[in-house]
Amino acid sequence: MPGDSAATQVIRRSRVAQESSEVIAARTVGAFRHLTLVAPGVAESAGPGQLVAVAVGGPGAELPLRRLVLLHRATPSGAYGGTVELVIDPADPTTAWLAARRPHDQIDVVGPLGRRFPLPSEALPCVVVGEGAGGGALLWLAEVLRTRGCRVDLVLGGESARRLLGFVDARRLCDGVTVTTLDGSAGVHGEPADVLPTLLERSRAAVVYAAGPLSLLRATAAAAERAGAVSMVAVNGPGGSVAGCGTGLCAGCVVPVRDEGGGVTHLVRSCTEGPVLRGDRVRWDALVDGRWRIPSDARSAAPHQGE
């Protein structure tokens, strides 16, 4: 995006594919379901922070709207060809059908969609913050950041220990891991926002990445701004994971975002201009009861930003 500090570089939008993808693995991980799909067209150019739009409901019973899901990981080649991995929350009614898929089931997938997390142009200290199913995408990001020489500290939050996604892998992939749970069953009793200020000060992070509920993204953006760090947040849809088209045509997943100068608000689409956005530019004041309200001064569409 134009105006980002030298801390980050923009990665070009990926080529989008639509595939009927076979489920080759499905397992339960804590409170979540982990699916691996054969999708070489999607995996070929996918990166951390990008989405797939998944048709749900099964043949002859498809729901009219697809579901947007953050990619957990993509592997361009392997025994089955290119594969993608998704982490699904069975408790979310919009993705319950997807969570129930088993090996050999077919799922129609469109992706990769949107913009991935931009990476530092030099080796800088970074903090990644994840909660719930969204935290899975950050383990992939952490691995990529480490290969670029960045120090990576992870904050992993959940309602309980069962809803901490990827805790074991996080210890291997990150330089430091802080865990928070709302019920106190693991780590710090609280939420990520409670530990972020101290961690940002100690790590002197230049870039903060976040994925998870909108409340987490808002708190992360505020903490990063106070600490003088750039925040990049994966804003997945209009307070949920439902998408009208997944290609930007319907504008059903718009988020109000200020431009570089801060004077004009545009409505950007999660599946094209997003899902990764500068946290300090999102109009968090327009988020009411977990849903976006359109500010009266907003313009209907955003200009293309830094392809």
Side-chain angles (χ1 to χ4, degrees):
M1 296 180 182
D4 285 352
S5 74
T8 57
Q9 63 179 12
V10 173
I11 301 177
R12 294 184 181 275
R13 187 179 299 148
S14 305
R15 185 174 59 188
V16 176
Q18 179 175 4
E19 299 181 274
S20 179
S21 302
E22 180 184 359
V23 179
I24 57 171
R27 58 191 175 96
T28 298
V29 181
F32 305 99
R33 289 288 289 170
H34 181 284
L35 304 181
T36 302
L37 315 177
V38 178
V42 177
E44 180 181 8
S45 58
Q50 290 187 294
L51 303 159
V52 289
V54 182
V56 298
E62 296 92 342
L63 298 181
L65 302 180
R66 288 176 177 263
R67 270 49 180 173
L68 287 175
V69 181
L70 276 171
L71 284 166
H72 179 75
R73 181 179 293 272
T75 305
S77 61
Y80 294 91
T83 59
V84 297
E85 300 171 40
L86 309 178
V87 172
I88 310 300
D89 186 353
D92 183 346
T94 69
T95 53
W97 178 89
L98 186 59
R101 296 310 90 201
R102 297 293 185 267
H104 308 303
D105 286 347
Q106 296 289 321
I107 300 175
D108 189 88
V109 178
V110 176
L113 301 175
R115 299 173 186 274
R116 64 187 74 180
F117 284 112
L119 303 175
S121 56
E122 53 189 289
L124 295 172
C126 300
V127 168
V128 295
V129 187
E131 183 177 334
L138 293 177
L139 297 179
W140 184 16
L141 172 65
E143 186 174 3
V144 173
L145 290 170
R146 287 286 299 277
T147 64
R148 300 174 69 88
C150 297
R151 176 183 172 84
V152 179
D153 287 282
L154 172 69
V155 180
L156 193 63
E159 296 174 4
S160 65
R162 288 191 71 245
R163 297 185 65 82
L164 290 172
L165 182 63
F167 175 63
V168 174
D169 289 336
R171 289 186 175 276
R172 173 176 56 86
L173 296 172
C174 302
D175 295 286
V177 180
T178 303
V179 168
T180 70
T181 51
L182 288 176
D183 67 356
S185 56
V188 177
H189 188 182
E191 52 190 3
D194 298 330
V195 301
L196 265 178
T198 300
L199 176 59
L200 291 175
E201 180 179 3
R202 184 176 72 243
S203 66
R204 298 184 179 180
V207 190
V208 184
Y209 300 93
L214 292 172
S215 57
L216 171 76
L217 305 185
R218 176 165 52 188
T220 299
E225 189 168 9
R226 288 192 296 268
V230 174
S231 63
M232 307 300 302
V233 297
V235 183
N236 182 9
S241 57
V242 179
C245 66
T247 60
L249 294 177
C250 73
C253 59
V254 295
V255 178
V257 176
R258 295 185 181 90
D259 64 8
E260 181 182 344
V264 179
T265 295
H266 295 282
L267 301 180
V268 306
R269 299 158 296 183
S270 291
C271 62
T272 51
E273 289 86 19
V276 177
L277 302 168
R278 275 279 297 260
D280 59 336
R281 295 183 190 163
V282 176
R283 287 285 300 271
W284 300 111
D285 60 305
L287 183 63
V288 180
D289 296 328
R291 307 291 297 183
W292 295 107
R293 300 293 183 262
I294 305 304
S296 59
D297 61 336
R299 298 187 180 180
S300 60
H304 290 292
Q305 305 177 53
E307 292 262 326

